[in-house]
Amino acid sequence: KAGVTQTPRYLIKTRGQQVTLSCSPISGHRSVSWYQQTPGQGLQFLFEYFSETQRNKGNFPGRFSGRQFSNSRSEMNVSTLELGDSALYLCASSLVSGGAEQYFGPGTRLTVT
Amino acid sequence: AQSVTQLGSHVSVSEGALVLLRCNYSSSVPPYLFWYVQYPNQGLQLLLKYTSAATLVKGINGFEAEFKKSETSFHLTKPSAHMSDAAEYFCAVSEGNQGGKLIFGQGTELSVKP
């Protein structure tokens, strides 16, 4: 089975712009979670989608949003980018929600200048 | 509230020596516990998972972890370190009623000396 794929792998944006990141889960997985990884804050949970519904949301401002499509693919969007949004954004998929193993993609490295 | 504490941000061992990475958690309900490894410029790879079936959990690449409820610990061990084990290791906790939300520790960077 193919693993979790994320596109693009690298992205450079300017402050104030918006960005959309994409995640394709492992075939058959219905849950997709997003995490932000920075040197200062470590790995932080952004949100989880299961069967096209947001199940849980982390403590991030409303500029961070996401959605999931009927084929389980997910996108996250960050509007009005700030320098502090520079991070590695990781997507993880699992068969079901709640306690299941999560399998991570390689991440999208976002740099905001 | 859930939390995870990894003792030691950097651990250095010699090749062939025992690897011990420490993780303590807090959770209001019986938790799911995980260890992940991250190599440079890559995502996280699942090493092992605790789900209450057995307190000693065996994972990939010779790693194992023991769940100790009385100590709220889930330490990761490997009897003999290999150079390829050099990476960053993350302990994570999940409460089933929180969906897929994983709470991660700050990570421990493992160095292996020849």
Side-chain angles (χ1 to χ4, degrees), chain B residues 53-68:
Chain B
T55 56
L56 185 62
V57 182
K58 293 189 183 301
I60 62 171
N61 301 338
F63 285 94
E64 62 182 36
E66 185 173 9
F67 174 73
K68 291 187 177 180

Side-chain angles (χ1 to χ4, degrees), chain B residues 33-113:
Chain B
L33 293 161
F34 306 84
W35 274 100
Y36 284 89
V37 61
Q38 186 177 34
Y39 298 98
N41 299 315
Q42 294 188 26
L44 278 68
Q45 180 182 10
L46 179 66
L47 280 175
L48 48 81
K49 171 190 175 185
Y50 167 76
T51 59
S52 80
T55 56
L56 185 62
V57 182
K58 293 189 183 301
I60 62 171
N61 301 338
F63 285 94
E64 62 182 36
E66 185 173 9
F67 174 73
K68 291 187 177 180
K69 184 178 179 180
S70 61
E71 299 177 8
T72 60
S73 69
F74 190 57
H75 301 332
L76 182 72
T77 60
K78 182 174 180 177
S80 177
H82 193 271
M83 297 296 290
S84 61
D85 294 327
E88 188 147 24
Y89 292 79
F90 293 93
C91 180
V93 64
S94 169
E95 294 179 352
N97 59 1
Q98 292 290 311
K101 179 180 180 181
L102 288 175
I103 302 296
F104 286 90
Q106 284 300 306
T108 297
E109 186 175 352
L110 175 67
S111 300
V112 182
K113 299 174 292 187

